[in-house]
Amino acid sequence: MEELKERIKLEGVVASQQVLKLDAILNHQVDPALTMEMGRAFASRFAAEGVTKVVTVESSGIPVAFAVALELGVPMIFARRKKTLLADPDSYVERVPSFTKGIVTDLMLPKRFIKKEDRVLLIDDIIANGDAARGLVKIIHSAEATLVGVGIVVEKCFQSGAQSLRDQGIRLESLVRIQSLGEEGVVFAD
């Protein structure tokens, strides 16, 4: 997606050889037009899969997952990372490390929102080590739903997350693939 690449070049901040901050695009500020374009791109790629639910992790994946769900005409659900007073006690829970937060969190998704007959598309903003995505895959499998694929806005090819999912036979589509981060900026794989 060329427009996304251009925005990453202009507004992305290389914090280290491992971390790309996309606060101006995905994480703190959301460009509705660009987000809807990303939603259309994923919806087009997975249109033939009979998706019945789009799932993501709070919070940065929500805008893009919402755009995908809107385009596909299906509900979007998200796994919470923090238990609240109103949290549904009958939830699937997976403990996962967070690459960007440097802590371990629980992903929680109420069982009533994902059923055996669902065909689920997982959408997320960035994949590094893939822990959150693998946690959601486990939740989807625990629900005995069908995972039709994973859509990732930004894939960091130099980290193992995306490949680990592909090695499990999971279809993973990325809008942008990054080969490396460094003093020269962002180097795209495609």
Side-chain angles (χ1 to χ4, degrees), residues 75-118:
M76 180 212 71
I77 54 179
F78 63 90
R80 291 192 182 273
R81 287 188 181 268
K82 294 179 183 165
K83 191 171 186 173
T84 66
L85 292 175
L86 300 175
D88 190 332
D90 192 23
S91 293
Y92 295 105
V93 179
E94 282 296 326
R95 183 155 281 214
V96 298
S98 170
F99 175 77
T100 52
K101 292 179 178 68
I103 59 171
V104 174
T105 62
D106 287 333
L107 298 182
M108 295 163 282
L109 188 66
K111 291 180 179 180
R112 64 190 170 108
F113 292 134
I114 187 167
K115 301 294 180 198
K116 185 177 184 173
E117 60 273 9
D118 281 319

Side-chain angles (χ1 to χ4, degrees), residues 26-166:
L26 290 171
N27 305 120
H28 290 283
Q29 175 173 274
V30 176
D31 178 327
L34 179 61
T35 301
M36 290 308 298
E37 189 60 35
M38 290 185 273
R40 284 188 285 279
F42 282 128
S44 165
R45 292 180 188 196
F46 290 98
E49 298 298 331
V51 175
T52 62
K53 298 271 174 77
V54 173
V55 68
T56 193
V57 176
E58 72 174 349
S59 64
S60 298
I62 292 174
V64 177
F66 176 86
V68 175
L70 180 65
E71 287 295 317
L72 292 173
V74 301
M76 180 212 71
I77 54 179
F78 63 90
R80 291 192 182 273
R81 287 188 181 268
K82 294 179 183 165
K83 191 171 186 173
T84 66
L85 292 175
L86 300 175
D88 190 332
D90 192 23
S91 293
Y92 295 105
V93 179
E94 282 296 326
R95 183 155 281 214
V96 298
S98 170
F99 175 77
T100 52
K101 292 179 178 68
I103 59 171
V104 174
T105 62
D106 287 333
L107 298 182
M108 295 163 282
L109 188 66
K111 291 180 179 180
R112 64 190 170 108
F113 292 134
I114 187 167
K115 301 294 180 198
K116 185 177 184 173
E117 60 273 9
D118 281 319
R119 296 181 56 76
V120 180
L121 173 59
L122 191 164
I123 298 289
D124 209 357
D125 61 339
I126 299 173
I127 192 164
N129 293 329
D131 296 313
R134 278 191 300 278
L136 276 180
V137 167
K138 287 179 183 177
I139 287 173
I140 293 163
H141 289 153
S142 293
E144 298 181 16
T146 301
L147 175 65
V148 300
V150 176
I152 301 293
V153 176
V154 177
E155 174 184 342
K156 293 197 261 178
C157 299
F158 55 90
Q159 290 175 293
S160 63
Q163 191 58 49
S164 72
L165 293 175
R166 288 184 180 111

